[in-house]
Amino acid sequence: MEGNFQLKVKDEIDYEKIIREMTLEEKFHYLTGAGSNCGYTLDRFPVKTMRYHDGPFGLRLRLTSDQKKSEAERKIRSAFPNCQKGEEAVTTAFPTGCALGATWDETVLEQVGEAIGEEFHSHGIHAVLGPAVNIKRHPLCGRNFEYYSEDPHVSGMLGAAYVKGVQKKGVAACPKHYALNNQERGRFSVNSEVDERTMREIYLKPFEMIVKEARPWSMMCAYNRINGVYASEHRELLEEILRKEWGFDGIVISDWGAVKNRAYSLLASVDLCMPYQEQAFAQLKEAYEKNLIDTELVDETIRRLFHFYERTRSVYEPEECDLEKHHQIAVNAARKSITLLKNENGALPVRKEEVKRILVVGESAADPLIGGDGSSRVSNPPYRTTPLEELKRFYGEEVEIEFLGHSFLHTYEHEIGYMEMELAQKAATADAVLIFANQDYSCTSEAIDRNHIELEPYLEHAIRVSRRVSRRVIVVLNIGSAVSTAKWNHCADAILVSWLGGQGMGTAVAETICGINNPGGKLPETFPKDLRDVESLKNYPGDGYKVVYKERLQVGYRHFDANRVKPEYEFGFGLSYSRFVFGNLEQRGDELSFDIANLSDVDGEEVAQVYISFPENSWNDHPVKELRYFKRVAVKAHETVSVHVKMTEELFQYYNAALHKWMVECGAYTIWVGNSSRNLPLRTTKSVTFGYEEGITYETSME
Ligand code: BGC
């Protein structure tokens, strides 16, 4: 139910007058949602109902029967005959967070954000419930597919770009889930126990970067507790840090059902409790009667909600958006996300002129997972390209493509001897065997953590059988987070990760296999050899009530470095069909510069990564090294590109928990440059003195 006013966006609204005229009851109602995705309707006033929808990778919207019959929807459905006829609006399914994270490309994130913003705008929706920027603390977390990275800098940079894109279109982004929501076990109440420095440097950092860089108009607080206090009642996190320290001037929206008591959450500065909660009104009334909350607090909150309304009300003048153009953006993002982990014996690309017959094995070639399950699932995309169809299209008639899918492999499990023979026969006569391996929804879903990081045994077996008879075995991993390749890695000549790459993933994968697309994605998370190699495993999932972040800063590559554990594929790793060489590292004043040369015949893209190590004689404990800068750069065949990095304070900061602030320790820092966390061929030392603060004697200058 919308308000009855035919409001034109240009009309000025006197919000202060509305606040003066609203009754206390109306105000209490306005502080809580009225349905699952909309706010309370103020019928008497010229402000309409606000709408908040998932999700981070595309609009999830159930249409009313009137909307379904609308002219706009009819036009879309006739233009895209392959979309479902059901209740869901036809919207683009963009690559999920794991794939977007692997692009390491802010431009891509901004483009995706912008396209999503356009789709929300065209449906008159005020906020996108995303991006999801929690840190991938543990490989088993079921929502890792939604998150960008194990590293705060990557998460923060990409999240900020996405937010800028969305908000350019007059729609609010809503970064989530603030904060320390890093597992699905006990997700509604688990207490994440963490020390101050770890919280600031690892878990709050992406949110801080996004707030400061992109100014999101809303933020979602999480379900869990942090050091004993629910995120929705955490005044220190919401009021002191988010608003006062970082300067956030948007609204805080609760995760769906995260508010336990509306009055306590109001006191902690949660502006909107979502969705509708019957008890919320009574809780506010009781707190008001007991003088726990007052009119001033209520009005201040309403004022912020109106400010949000003002910022987003151009959505009432929806413009049509171009789903065809958005498909191209989705395909492009999927291309950029493809991550090549292994490529021996020239296995990839498989050029058309080199082959006559290709064997394609595995259901995900024909029915790929383009997203994960839960609130982020986009279920009615206009297209859904599959690797199998696209391979057939690219190779054309001259190359025979045989496909062994679900029924073959499943019989295989039961009649192993017979099917093994058949697979071996078919693989032996093919010029290349492409094995498409995925993990199912139980491994990529909100609300469920995984319990292993292996592929299904039948897929591993298919890889081994193919190895015995074929000289070209290529594995394509259609996964939402790290898997172990240890048991079958030696059987594959090439391994590609296509992630959960949205509706254009099939095209991106096929283009990469044929050599039309040169892969440039990098792992935004470490791929361990074995789950037992992960430090936080000992401190996960906790006892059901609390989970102690005992590993402190040693998350992801920081742990693998500190404890000298060799991962299967390290953070930041990804190969290319080009050959890049880094050189000429120089410091000039506050600028660092280096070159990337492409020594091959193929144009390509490389991700320059800059890590720092703290001074050796530091008084503090620090990770061995930390990523502080990255940039994805295009380098044409036989050309060289220079990268320039401004060395600002942020490059050298750490959080001092005794002084409760970010500081720069003086001393000699090592700066590493390269293309993965373990391939850093360039190195220099930077003597830092600008962090010295008078009156603080324990941060002594090295000079
Ligand atoms: C999820 C959020 C989502 C919300 C609304 C919650 O269960 O944690 O990420 O935005 O539901 O669907």
Side-chain angles (χ1 to χ4, degrees):
M1 20 152 216
E2 300 268 15
N4 296 327
F5 292 87
Q6 289 301 308
L7 182 86
K8 280 272 172 288
V9 176
K10 290 153 235 99
D11 294 347
E12 271 201 19
I13 301 176
D14 185 347
Y15 294 108
E16 287 304 320
K17 183 163 176 274
I18 300 177
I19 293 175
R20 282 195 302 275
E21 287 176 8
M22 279 170 85
T23 64
L24 192 59
E25 278 71 25
E26 277 169 331
K27 289 178 182 172
F28 285 168
H29 281 303
Y30 204 61
L31 299 177
T32 301
S36 51
N37 290 95
C38 62
Y40 182 76
T41 304
L42 286 174
D43 279 317
R44 297 194 302 127
F45 301 102
V47 279
K48 290 204 198 181
T49 314
M50 293 199 267
R51 297 162 77 198
Y52 313 85
H53 276 258
D54 285 301
F57 322 122
L59 173 59
R60 206 163 64 100
L61 174 68
R62 248 187 131 66
L63 298 172
T64 61
S65 44
D66 280 353
Q67 287 166 331
K68 240 172 39 191
K69 283 186 229 135
S70 74
E71 182 54 21
E73 196 59 26
R74 199 196 53 72
K75 253 168 62 190
I76 292 177
R77 287 178 189 225
S78 60
F80 302 104
N82 288 337
C83 64
Q84 293 163 27
K85 303 284 171 267
E87 309 294 317
E88 297 278 327
V90 180
T91 58
T92 310
F94 291 93
T96 60
C98 55
L100 294 174
T103 67
W104 294 59
D105 192 329
E106 292 161 74
T107 312
V108 166
L109 270 283
E110 192 163 337
Q111 274 169 1
V112 167
E114 223 176 294
I116 290 177
E118 258 170 40
E119 294 194 23
F120 274 64
H121 196 282
S122 76
H123 283 276
I125 295 164
H126 301 71
V128 175
L129 302 177
V133 291
N134 295 101
I135 292 294
K136 303 184 199 231
R137 170 177 179 249
H138 198 283
L140 294 183
C141 172
R143 286 188 97 167
N144 277 357
F145 79 91
E146 287 188 55
Y147 306 147
Y148 297 139
S149 179
E150 68 186 25
D151 178 79
H153 187 76
V154 174
S155 309
M157 294 300 287
L158 298 183
Y162 176 101
V163 169
K164 283 185 198 163
V166 170
Q167 296 195 166
K168 254 193 215 166
K169 298 293 158 184
V171 169
C174 183
K176 63 189 186 183
H177 312 81
Y178 183 69
L180 287 117
N181 184 188
N182 309 98
Q183 65 185 54
E184 293 301 279
R185 299 253 185 117
R187 73 179 188 135
F188 294 121
S189 57
V190 71
N191 178 25
S192 303
E193 215 177 277
V194 67
D195 66 277
E196 185 177 344
R197 179 170 175 201
T198 305
M199 174 162 88
R200 290 294 198 138
E201 289 192 13
I202 305 285
Y203 298 98
L204 297 194
K205 188 70 185 169
F207 293 99
E208 177 175 0
M209 290 171 71
I210 294 171
V211 169
K212 291 184 172 166
E213 177 61 30
R215 307 249 151 237
W217 299 338
S218 61
M219 177 80 88
M220 185 188 289
C221 69
Y223 285 126
N224 51 287
R225 295 170 160 101
I226 297 117
N227 294 337
V229 180
Y230 276 114
S232 61
E233 295 175 6
H234 216 297
R235 203 177 150 77
E236 195 199 335
L237 279 189
L238 298 173
E239 180 68 21
E240 302 304 323
I241 298 180
L242 177 65
R243 292 194 199 278
K244 293 202 182 131
E245 191 186 316
W246 300 344
F248 174 73
D249 67 352
I251 57 166
V252 173
I253 305 176
S254 74
D255 198 346
W256 268 227
V259 167
K260 309 294 159 192
N261 183 304
R262 185 60 190 107
Y264 296 162
S265 68
L266 184 71
L267 283 165
S269 102
V270 171
D271 300 290
L272 183 67
C273 159
M274 285 301 289
Y276 172 69
Q277 268 187 27
E278 204 185 336
Q279 66 279 21
F281 184 88
Q283 288 166 345
L284 289 170
K285 195 158 174 276
E286 189 190 340
Y288 185 80
E289 282 159 9
K290 290 187 175 158
N291 287 329
L292 289 174
I293 58 170
D294 57 20
T295 331
E296 204 185 317
L297 174 66
V298 172
D299 286 357
E300 193 190 320
T301 312
I302 305 272
R303 206 165 276 126
R304 283 199 295 256
L305 287 164
F306 283 163
H307 183 213
F308 177 86
Y309 178 83
E310 183 60 28
R311 281 174 152 170
T312 53
R313 72 183 173 120
S314 74
V315 302
Y316 296 119
E317 286 185 344
E319 285 156 25
E320 267 188 40
C321 62
D322 182 349
L323 291 186
E324 185 53 57
K325 189 180 98 199
H326 292 180
H327 177 63
Q328 292 314 324
I329 293 173
V331 173
N332 183 50
R335 274 185 200 121
K336 302 258 182 181
S337 76
I338 303 271
T339 313
L340 180 61
L341 297 183
K342 181 173 181 182
N343 195 13
E344 286 176 1
N345 316 318
L348 280 172
V350 181
R351 302 226 181 262
K352 199 170 172 173
E353 51 287 0
E354 296 167 4
V355 288
K356 291 211 161 42
R357 204 174 152 264
I358 296 177
L359 180 66
V360 176
V361 183
E363 193 53 27
S364 64
D367 187 15
L369 274 189
I370 63 169
D373 212 2
S375 59
S376 71
R377 188 167 175 189
V378 181
S379 46
N380 200 8
Y383 295 107
R384 194 161 161 274
T385 65
T386 75
L388 185 62
E389 279 166 18
E390 294 294 79
L391 284 167
K392 287 184 177 160
R393 185 161 73 89
F394 292 136
Y395 284 110
E397 305 260 289
E398 301 97 273
V399 179
E400 184 199 334
I401 295 185
E402 186 175 2
F403 173 57
L404 301 177
H406 191 73
S407 48
F408 178 87
L409 287 168
H410 275 265
T411 338
Y412 192 107
E413 273 185 289
H414 306 299
E415 298 172 44
I416 217 139
Y418 170 70
M419 299 315 288
E420 193 171 307
M421 220 162 66
E422 197 176 332
L423 174 63
Q425 261 168 18
K426 290 179 190 287
T429 52
D431 299 306
V433 182
L434 305 177
I435 301 183
F436 285 79
N438 65 343
Q439 287 201 309
D440 62 20
Y441 271 143
S442 70
C443 290
T444 49
S445 180
E446 178 174 336
I448 316 167
D449 280 349
R450 297 191 285 181
N451 51 24
H452 66 89
I453 58 166
E454 308 294 328
L455 293 183
E456 292 298 323
Y458 73 90
L459 288 167
E460 290 182 355
H461 196 61
I463 300 171
R464 279 192 215 101
V465 171
S466 306
R467 166 76 311 160
R468 271 185 237 142
V469 295
S470 168
R471 280 188 296 119
R472 208 168 186 177
V473 178
I474 296 154
V475 177
V476 181
L477 295 171
N478 179 198
I479 50 175
S481 45
V483 294
S484 164
T485 68
K487 286 201 252 152
W488 50 266
N489 193 302
H490 58 288
C491 299
D493 298 295
I495 305 173
L496 267 187
V497 186
S498 70
W499 307 104
L500 307 180
Q503 67 183 45
M505 186 180 77
T507 312
V509 170
E511 283 180 352
T512 312
I513 291 171
C514 312
I516 303 170
N517 176 50
N518 185 358
K522 301 280 177 185
L523 291 183
E525 62 191 280
T526 309
F527 276 34
K529 281 187 197 303
D530 190 298
L531 198 50
R532 283 167 298 195
D533 292 343
V534 181
E535 176 69 10
S536 48
L537 189 61
K538 294 186 216 136
N539 314 313
Y540 160 92
D543 60 9
Y545 301 100
K546 69 170 187 305
V547 50
V548 186
Y549 287 40
K550 271 195 215 131
E551 72 285 353
R552 309 191 65 213
L553 303 173
Q554 312 300 5
V555 181
Y557 67 90
R558 290 167 170 78
H559 147 66
F560 283 84
D561 283 354
N563 297 308
R564 296 173 193 278
V565 184
K566 198 171 171 328
E568 188 77 69
Y569 293 110
E570 73 266 19
F571 171 79
F573 179 76
L575 301 168
S576 161
Y577 297 155
S578 309
R579 195 162 86 77
F580 297 110
V581 174
F582 283 70
N584 297 335
L585 179 61
E586 275 180 15
Q587 286 186 50
R588 208 166 288 148
D590 280 344
E591 195 181 86
L592 185 77
S593 65
F594 52 89
D595 292 342
I596 307 176
N598 181 347
L599 303 186
S600 70
D601 298 332
V602 213
D603 297 349
E605 291 185 5
E606 179 59 297
V607 178
Q609 302 170 35
V610 178
Y611 294 78
I612 62 133
S613 296
F614 286 85
E616 263 177 30
N617 47 358
S618 163
W619 303 107
N620 297 297
D621 247 356
H622 295 290
V624 174
K625 62 176 177 300
E626 295 192 298
L627 178 83
R628 290 296 165 98
Y629 173 90
F630 66 88
K631 191 173 178 63
R632 183 164 176 148
V633 279
V635 194
K636 288 213 174 332
H638 304 291
E639 286 190 6
T640 298
V641 167
S642 299
V643 179
H644 301 266
V645 186
K646 199 127 204 79
M647 288 190 284
T648 58
E649 268 189 53
E650 279 84 57
L651 213 64
F652 304 102
Q653 274 177 341
Y654 82 102
Y655 188 82
N656 186 310
L659 296 171
H660 311 291
K661 62 188 214 180
W662 291 98
M663 294 192 66
V664 177
E665 214 175 300
C666 299
Y669 288 73
T670 310
I671 300 180
W672 310 85
V673 178
N675 64 358
S676 89
S677 60
R678 293 198 167 211
N679 184 37
L680 298 162
L682 308 183
R683 174 185 166 168
T684 181
T685 306
K686 165 83 181 161
S687 199
V688 171
T689 52
F690 56 66
Y692 183 71
E693 287 194 29
E694 282 192 47
I696 299 169
T697 46
Y698 76 100
E699 298 282 352
T700 47
S701 167
M702 299 295 298
E703 293 185 337

